[in-house]
Amino acid sequence: MKFEAIAVENIPLIHPGDDLPSIICMNMELQDRDIVIVASTVVAKSEGEVFRLEDITPEEMALEIAARSEKDARFIQAVLSRSREVLIEKPFMLVTTLEGHTCVNAGIDESNIEDGFLLYPPKNPDVSASRLGKELERLSGKKLSVIVTDTNGRAFKIGQTGAAIGIYKIKPVKRWIGEKDLFGKILEITEEAVADELAGAANLLMGEGAGGIPAVVIRGLDNYCEEDISIKEIYRPEEQDIIKKGLRCLQKKS
Amino acid sequence: MKFEAIAVENIPLIHPGDDLPSIICMNMELQDRDIVIVASTVVAKSEGEVFRLEDITPEEMALEIAARSEKDARFIQAVLSRSREVLIEKPFMLVTTLEGHTCVNAGIDESNIEDGFLLYPPKNPDVSASRLGKELERLSGKKLSVIVTDTNGRAFKIGQTGAAIGIYKIKPVKRWIGEKDLFGKILEITEEAVADELAGAANLLMGEGAGGIPAVVIRGLDNYCEEDISIKEIYRPEEQDIIKKGLRCLQKKS
C-alpha cells in the first residue's frame, strides 16, 4: 500500500481571470482517482479576490479594534468583512469566517501579492473546488477529487500546517464507527480528518516562500466519492466547542 | 518534485520486549534519508507500557473528577499520573502531559489492547524515536529520520489527524524566516510544522481500525538533519498560549 505526492511544476504567476484548470492540465497528466490539491492563493487570484488597501473604509468596530491592537484599521475592516465572530484580537486576530472556518485574519493575506493589495480567500471554497474539479474532469476525462487548501496555525503548538478549506468529490472525514480494533473490540467513534491530512501532505511540497508550488497531485489512495459534500461538516458544532467558550470567557474578563 | 509514502506491511502484533527495529527492517528495505514513521501504540507495546486497570488505585483528585464526570476513577488516575495539568474534564479529559503534549486522556488508550488493560504512550517519545532510529540506522546502514506518532483531535474541527510526539534527526518545524515571497517581500516568520504534516501523511496509510499499518516510510523529501532535536520545541510556550488561558478561565467560572 502506498501513495505518491507529485508537485505540479511550472505553474506561472496567476492573475485574475486565468484559466487555472487548463494551466494545471497542461503541466500534469492526471489519472483516475487523483486528488488534486490546490493552494487557495492561486484559486483566489484566478477568481479576482484582490483588493486595494486604500479602497477600504474602516467602520466603527474596525477602528475600535485598531486602537486596542495597533493594527491597520483597513486591514482589520477587511478581516471583519469576512468574519462572523472575533475570538482573539491580539497579538493576532483569530476569527470564525462567514464560511465557518476558524483561522487567523479570516485567511486574508498580505504576502504573495503586490504591496498595497490584499488577497482574500475564495468567497466559497467548496464552490471553487467544485468548479475547478468539474473543469479538470472535463479536460482530462478522469474521475478526480479536489481540495482547496490554506496554511493554518493550531492550538497548543507553534507552526502552521496545510488545512482543507474547500472540497470536491472527497469526504473530509473518514469514519471508523463500529469497526473492530485488532482485538475484536468495537471501536467507539473514530473520525480521521483525511482532507486535512492530505492538505498537510501536499504542503510538504508546496512550500511557503518563493519556491512556491501551488498545486500537488496525490495518487494511489482510494478516497474518491460521488456524493455532494461540504467541508463544513468538519467544523465543530458551536454548542460542542469548548475552546471557543474558553476564548469568549477570556474576552468577557478583559 | 515528489515523495512516496510506503506502508510497512506484515508487521505482526507487537508485545513487550519485541525487537521493533528488526521487525521493521525485515519488512522494508530502507534507503538513505527515509523518514520512518511509527505509531506510538507499537512503540509503547514493545516498551511494555501496558498496565492492568485493576492494579490502579485512584487517589483523591481522580475520585473527585470521576464523581463529576461519571468516568472510571482508575482510568482517570492513569491519565493524571501522566499529566501536569487538566484543561478540560468533560465530556472528554484534555490534559497537558508531563512531556508537554496537549491531548485527550494523556494519550492513554483503551482500544487496540486486551480488555482490562490500558496502553500508555511511550514515557519519553523523543528517547523512543532516538533509540529506534539509531538501531534502524545500524541494521540498515542508512541515514534515517524517525517520527513517533499518535492521532489527536484539534480545536474548532471534528476528527483526528496524525501528530508527531517524538522525533529523531528531523526538525519538527521548518522556518521560512527572512526568505522572500514571490514578490520579493521579506516573509515574516513562517513556520511549517513538517513533523505533524508527515505524521498526518503517514496516518493516511496507517488506518485506525483492524487494518492497522503501524509503520510507514516517507521517501523523497530532504528533511534529514544531524542535530540533537526535541519535539518539545513545537509546543507553544505557556505565556503565549491564549487558548489554554481561555480554558482555565472557563474552569474558574464552573
Side-chain angles (χ1 to χ4, degrees):
Chain A
M1 237 183 15
K2 56 180 275 193
F3 71 83
E4 290 177 287
I6 308 155
V8 181
E9 311 209 52
N10 302 317
I11 292 185
L13 225 50
I14 297 295
H15 301 99
D18 278 355
D19 185 349
L20 192 53
S22 294
I23 291 169
I24 290 171
C25 283
M26 280 193 296
N27 288 290
M28 171 69 73
E29 193 167 330
L30 294 168
Q31 295 178 13
D32 263 342
R33 297 172 185 272
D34 274 354
I35 304 168
V36 184
I37 303 181
V38 187
S40 62
T41 43
V42 296
V43 175
K45 281 177 187 173
S46 71
E47 291 178 1
E49 293 284 350
V50 179
F51 298 88
R52 299 179 80 103
L53 207 45
E54 66 188 38
D55 290 340
I56 301 171
T57 308
E59 293 171 19
E60 186 179 340
M61 188 175 176
L63 292 164
E64 288 174 7
I65 295 176
R68 286 194 291 266
S69 63
E70 292 162 18
K71 288 199 186 85
D72 185 330
R74 299 166 303 171
F75 182 80
I76 293 172
Q77 181 61 39
V79 172
L80 292 177
S81 72
R82 288 290 178 101
S83 307
R84 66 182 194 213
E85 183 176 9
V86 178
L87 294 163
I88 297 173
E89 268 181 26
K90 54 176 181 173
F92 53 84
M93 270 186 89
L94 184 75
V95 302
T96 298
T97 69
L98 299 172
E99 293 298 300
H101 182 55
T102 301
C103 60
V104 172
N105 294 337
I108 296 174
D109 199 356
E110 277 180 300
S111 64
N112 289 318
I113 198 155
E114 295 94 9
D115 251 330
F117 286 86
L118 297 179
L119 179 65
Y120 288 35
K123 236 189 197 88
N124 188 330
D126 277 332
V127 167
S128 304
S130 178
R131 200 184 303 136
L132 186 51
K134 287 179 173 146
E135 185 60 7
L136 286 170
E137 287 183 309
R138 191 187 70 77
L139 290 168
S140 65
K142 310 293 182 189
K143 291 188 196 309
L144 303 167
S145 309
V146 171
I147 304 177
V148 174
T149 64
D150 196 2
T151 50
N152 292 150
R154 42 291 161 70
F156 316 123
K157 294 182 180 182
I158 65 165
Q160 303 196 318
T161 58
I165 62 168
I167 51 174
Y168 171 73
K169 291 204 174 153
I170 181 164
K171 284 193 213 280
V173 173
K174 188 181 234 174
R175 285 181 172 79
W176 304 88
I177 297 173
E179 295 203 23
K180 292 186 181 172
D181 72 11
L182 295 159
F183 289 87
K185 286 193 290 186
I186 306 294
L187 281 178
E188 293 179 1
I189 299 167
T190 306
E191 300 166 317
E192 183 183 351
V194 294
D196 285 331
E197 290 180 324
L198 287 159
N203 200 40
L204 290 164
L205 293 176
M206 283 179 168
E208 296 276 346
I213 294 274
V216 170
V217 169
I218 291 187
R219 178 171 294 167
L221 289 169
D222 182 22
N223 286 100
Y224 183 76
C225 157
E226 289 280 0
E227 277 175 58
D228 225 348
I229 314 159
S230 169
I231 193 63
K232 294 180 190 192
E233 61 178 72
I234 218 172
Y235 301 132
R236 194 173 284 283
E238 291 280 318
E239 65 278 9
Q240 293 173 19
D241 198 322
I242 302 174
I243 283 177
K244 282 191 185 179
K245 291 177 187 175
L247 292 174
R248 292 177 193 129
C249 178
L250 261 190
Q251 286 177 314
K252 285 206 196 88
K253 257 181 54 177
S254 62
Chain B
M1 239 185 12
K2 57 180 275 196
F3 72 83
E4 292 177 285
I6 309 156
V8 182
E9 310 209 52
N10 302 316
I11 292 185
L13 226 50
I14 298 295
H15 301 97
D18 278 354
D19 185 349
L20 192 52
S22 294
I23 292 169
I24 290 171
C25 283
M26 280 193 295
N27 288 290
M28 171 68 73
E29 193 166 330
L30 294 167
Q31 295 178 13
D32 264 341
R33 296 172 185 273
D34 274 353
I35 305 167
V36 183
I37 303 181
V38 186
S40 63
T41 45
V42 294
V43 175
K45 281 178 187 174
S46 72
E47 292 179 0
E49 292 284 350
V50 179
F51 299 87
R52 300 179 78 103
L53 208 44
E54 66 188 38
D55 291 340
I56 301 171
T57 308
E59 293 171 18
E60 185 179 341
M61 188 175 176
L63 291 165
E64 287 173 8
I65 294 176
R68 287 195 290 266
S69 64
E70 290 161 17
K71 287 200 187 83
D72 186 331
R74 297 166 305 170
F75 182 80
I76 294 172
Q77 181 62 39
V79 172
L80 292 177
S81 73
R82 288 292 178 98
S83 306
R84 66 183 195 215
E85 183 177 8
V86 177
L87 294 163
I88 297 173
E89 269 181 25
K90 54 176 181 174
F92 51 85
M93 271 187 88
L94 185 74
V95 301
T96 298
T97 68
L98 299 173
E99 293 298 300
H101 182 54
T102 301
C103 60
V104 172
N105 293 337
I108 295 174
D109 200 353
E110 276 180 302
S111 64
N112 288 317
I113 198 153
E114 295 94 9
D115 251 330
F117 286 86
L118 297 178
L119 179 64
Y120 288 35
K123 237 191 197 85
N124 189 330
D126 277 331
V127 167
S128 304
S130 178
R131 198 184 303 137
L132 186 51
K134 285 176 174 151
E135 185 59 8
L136 286 170
E137 287 183 310
R138 190 187 71 78
L139 290 168
S140 65
K142 309 293 180 189
K143 291 189 195 310
L144 302 167
S145 308
V146 171
I147 304 176
V148 175
T149 63
D150 197 0
T151 50
N152 292 150
R154 44 284 165 75
F156 316 122
K157 294 183 179 181
I158 65 164
Q160 302 197 318
T161 58
I165 63 168
I167 52 173
Y168 172 72
K169 291 207 174 153
I170 180 164
K171 284 194 213 280
V173 173
K174 188 181 235 173
R175 284 180 173 80
W176 304 85
I177 297 173
E179 293 201 26
K180 291 187 180 172
D181 72 12
L182 295 159
F183 289 86
K185 286 192 289 187
I186 305 293
L187 281 177
E188 294 180 1
I189 299 168
T190 307
E191 300 166 317
E192 183 184 352
V194 293
D196 285 331
E197 290 180 325
L198 287 159
N203 200 40
L204 290 163
L205 293 175
M206 283 179 168
E208 296 277 346
I213 294 275
V216 169
V217 168
I218 291 186
R219 178 171 293 168
L221 288 170
D222 182 22
N223 287 101
Y224 183 75
C225 158
E226 288 279 359
E227 276 176 58
D228 226 346
I229 314 159
S230 169
I231 192 64
K232 295 181 190 191
E233 59 178 72
I234 218 171
Y235 301 133
R236 193 172 284 282
E238 290 282 317
E239 65 278 8
Q240 292 173 21
D241 198 321
I242 301 174
I243 284 178
K244 283 190 185 179
K245 291 176 185 174
L247 292 173
R248 292 178 193 128
C249 178
L250 260 190
Q251 286 177 315
K252 287 205 195 85
K253 256 182 56 177
S254 62

